[in-house]
Structures are given as C-alpha cells and as structure tokens.
Amino acid sequence: MVFGFVLLGFWGSYLPSFLVYCLHFAKKIAEATATLFFVALVTFLMGHAIPGGPFDGEKYQPPEIKKLQEAKYGLDKPLWKQFSTYSGGIIFHGDFGVSMKYLNRPVGDILSETLPLSLSIGGLALLSAILIGLPLGMLSALKPGTWWDTTSLFIAVGGVALPTFLIGAVLVLIFCKTLGWLPPARLDTWAAYLLPVLTLAARPASIVARLVRSSLIEQYQNDYVRTARAKGLSESRIVIVHALRNSLLPLVTIMGPISANILTGSFITEHFFAISGMAKHFIDAVNDRDTFLMMGATLIFAALLVAINLLVDLIYPILDPRMKA
C-alpha cells in the first residue's frame, strides 16, 4: 500500500513533465519530417529545372533510344508521378533509386561507400574546431586587451574572412610544398587527414573562439562570478566550473549552423584534396544531371543537419535546467 502511494506520487510529480517532453519531441520529429520532405521537393524541382538531361552529354543517339532510356528510369512520366514514386520508394523500401551515370549502381550503395569517409572528415573537423576554438576563446577572455587577446582575435577574424579554398592552398603551400611534411592530396595515410581536417575546421574554430570570448566576458559581469571571487575561488575554477557552463549555451545554439558550414565546406575541401567522398559524387551528379544520386546526397546532408538540430534540443536542458520548464 505504501509503495503504491509512493509510486503514485512519483508519477503524479513527473508524469506531466514527461508527457510535455514527449509531445515536444514528437513535434520536433514532425517538423524534421516536413523539412526533409520540403528539401526533397525543392531539390527534385530544381534538378528538373536545370537545362539538359542525364543523356544529353553522350554521343548522338537516335530519338527512339533516348526515349527508351527515359522510360527505363521513369523520366517520361509527369513530374508529380516521378516524385511520388521516388518518395514512396524511400519511405516504404529505403530505395534511393539507381544512378544513371554509374552503370545503374544503386544510389544507396554509392552513398554507403562514401558517407563514412565524409563523416570521418566532418566529425574530425567539428571536434578540431571545438578543441581549437574553445581554449582560444577562453584565453582571450581571461586576458582582454592584451597582446594575446589581439593575436587570437586577429586569427579568428582571419579564419572567418578567408575562403576555404584559400586556407587549403596556404596550408598545402606551407606543409607540402615548402616543408614537405604532409601529402598534398588523397587519404592514403593518417597524416593525409591533417590538411583536409584543418582546412575544414579553420572557419568553425574561428566562430567558436569569438563566440566563447564574448560570452565569457558577458558572464564575468554577473553577480554569481563576483560572489565566487569573494569566496576566494581561483580564477580557473570560476571559469571552468561556473562561467563556462553558462557560456556554452550560445555555442550549443550555433552548432547547427557550424555543422552546416562544415558540410558545405566539405564540397570545396573534398574537391580540393581529391577525396572521393559524398561531396565529389554530389558535384558529379549535378554536372551529369544524375537526378537520383543528386537527390540522395542532398537528403543525406539534410538529414544530418536535422539530426544535429534535434541533438541540440536534447542538450539544452542539460546545460540549463531552467529550460526543462
């Protein structure tokens, strides 16, 4: 009996919050699904709006052969029928279609082979951006107005202002051409990952450093920091235990845009360093008008961004318990 009352009291206290959280999560899932559907529709329409077709670049073919090829891939049907068939295949069968240029290979096989490589480079770049930008911003906030602060801000502004391909060219010129320490292209060894990862992480690391610096300086003006100093706590403990946790909220907020920055930057980086990742196949698909491969790569990129935004929503209440309400 007592256990029943305790259990009833527990559920009476936490069940409403749990239901609200489930409803909030279900709403986010519905929004993510609608976003992916919208991305698929826009990509499909834009792919068909591009002049030319997947078979126009080949040598001359009789009109009858071209019609047979279009009928094979369903390109002779109305646009609404093509889109409904394609989206139905993805939803019910997980089928992304077949490539029109890669010898009828399933798009799912091409993406499964190239996605791990792109994810490894992007994941390492995101981790490097945090590991570089976070300490840089913290040290700059601890010593505002000093030469260290000026130097770190100069590096951060340069990382934001310089385009990705220029950063990659400078790194290749220094570490490959001049010093000869690293290979200039491809991923044959672990050392070959360094230049693509640093090139891709330069801009996000600069954004993280500037955001952490401004957020920490703002937190230093709050009363709880003055109280911690009055208690005699060390400056490092005040920064790491108290101020840094509140400063991470803006950083978590921009994780979605930073991830988008890394994904879009990977298009240039993979092409620049001759890496056969998803970005290369996406560019080839656009050039070849390979509609199914282009849509598959776009949906994978969009799904990654949506998943990161959902993860950000889950991390928020951990960093700031007030947001659980």
Side-chain angles (χ1 to χ4, degrees), residues 187-202:
L187 298 178
D188 299 330
T189 61
W190 66 267
Y193 279 84
L194 293 178
L195 288 184
V197 168
L198 290 178
T199 301
L200 201 53

Side-chain angles (χ1 to χ4, degrees), residues 18 26 31 34 54 60 62 76 103 121 171 175 180 182 190 192 218 226 299-300 310 321:
F18 178 74
E31 292 176 354
Y60 173 77
D76 57 337
L103 302 176
I121 297 176
L171 291 177
F175 294 101
L182 299 173
W190 66 267
E218 181 182 354
R226 300 190 185 96
L299 287 176
I300 292 297
L310 286 175

Side-chain angles (χ1 to χ4, degrees), residues 140-316:
S140 181
L142 287 173
K143 302 178 180 180
T146 61
W147 67 270
W148 174 259
D149 184 27
T150 304
T151 304
S152 62
L153 282 179
F154 177 78
I155 296 174
V157 172
V160 174
L162 295 177
T164 302
F165 67 88
L166 182 58
I167 295 175
V170 172
L171 291 177
V172 169
L173 179 63
I174 295 175
F175 294 101
C176 300
K177 180 77 173 175
T178 305
L179 300 176
W181 291 352
L182 299 173
R186 303 189 182 277
L187 298 178
D188 299 330
T189 61
W190 66 267
Y193 279 84
L194 293 178
L195 288 184
V197 168
L198 290 178
T199 301
L200 201 53
R203 183 179 177 87
S206 303
I207 297 174
V208 170
R210 294 178 61 188
L211 184 65
V212 170
R213 176 188 180 276
S214 60
S215 183
L216 273 177
I217 291 177
E218 181 182 354
Q219 293 297 323
Y220 286 161
Q221 312 301 322
N222 292 332
D223 293 335
Y224 73 89
V225 174
R226 300 190 185 96
T227 303
R229 285 183 178 139
K231 290 181 178 179
L233 298 180
S234 62
E235 198 68 22
S236 59
R237 181 176 177 81
I238 293 174
V239 172
I240 297 175
V241 177
H242 299 283
L244 182 60
R245 178 174 181 177
N246 294 326
S247 301
L248 290 179
L249 286 174
L251 178 60
V252 172
T253 303
I254 67 167
M255 288 307 296
I258 285 180
S259 302
N261 194 318
I262 289 177
L263 287 178
T264 54
S266 66
F267 285 75
I268 302 174
T269 304
E270 291 187 11
H271 182 72
F272 186 85
F273 290 98
I275 300 172
S276 298
M278 280 189 61
K280 176 184 180 299
H281 288 288
F282 178 80
I283 295 174
D284 292 342
V286 174
N287 293 330
D288 297 332
R289 309 296 190 268
D290 195 343
T291 305
F292 297 141
L293 181 57
M294 179 176 61
M295 289 193 63
T298 303
L299 287 176
I300 292 297
F301 281 128
L304 289 174
L305 290 179
V306 169
I308 291 173
N309 287 326
L310 286 175
L311 183 62
V312 168
D313 286 338
L314 296 177
I315 293 177
Y316 260 133

